[in-house]
Amino acid sequence: MIFNIVSVLVGLVALPVALVGLVPFFGLANYLAIPIAVVGAAVGMLSGHRSGRNFNIFVLIVAAIRLMLGGGLL
């Protein structure tokens, strides 16, 4: 239970960073959002619940797609 809460909190830190990265000329923020979301997903995998892990995977996908569209992630 505690790992899920920590995972959601880490995701709530990564989400605003990823949203800032959606704005043109701020796409480099996604390079910060991806490792934060990976850590949150890893913590979420330690929990019996899936919501924290899934939330971090969603943030990770949003940040990765934005980097791919900008040409920053191959």
Side-chain angles (χ1 to χ4, degrees):
M1 180 71 178
I2 190 74
F3 287 118
N4 191 46
I5 294 170
V6 171
S7 178
V8 170
L9 291 175
V10 170
L12 288 175
V13 170
L15 182 64
V17 176
L19 290 177
V20 167
L22 291 175
V23 177
F25 302 111
F26 291 112
L28 290 175
N30 288 315
Y31 285 114
L32 179 63
I34 287 177
I36 295 171
V38 167
V39 169
V43 171
M45 286 183 195
L46 298 174
S47 173
H49 301 281
R50 293 187 231 171
S51 59
R53 182 198 62 193
N54 292 344
F55 179 58
N56 281 291
I57 289 173
F58 170 75
V59 173
L60 182 66
I61 289 171
V62 168
I65 288 175
R66 170 58 177 95
L67 280 176
M68 280 189 240
L69 290 174
L73 185 68
L74 300 177

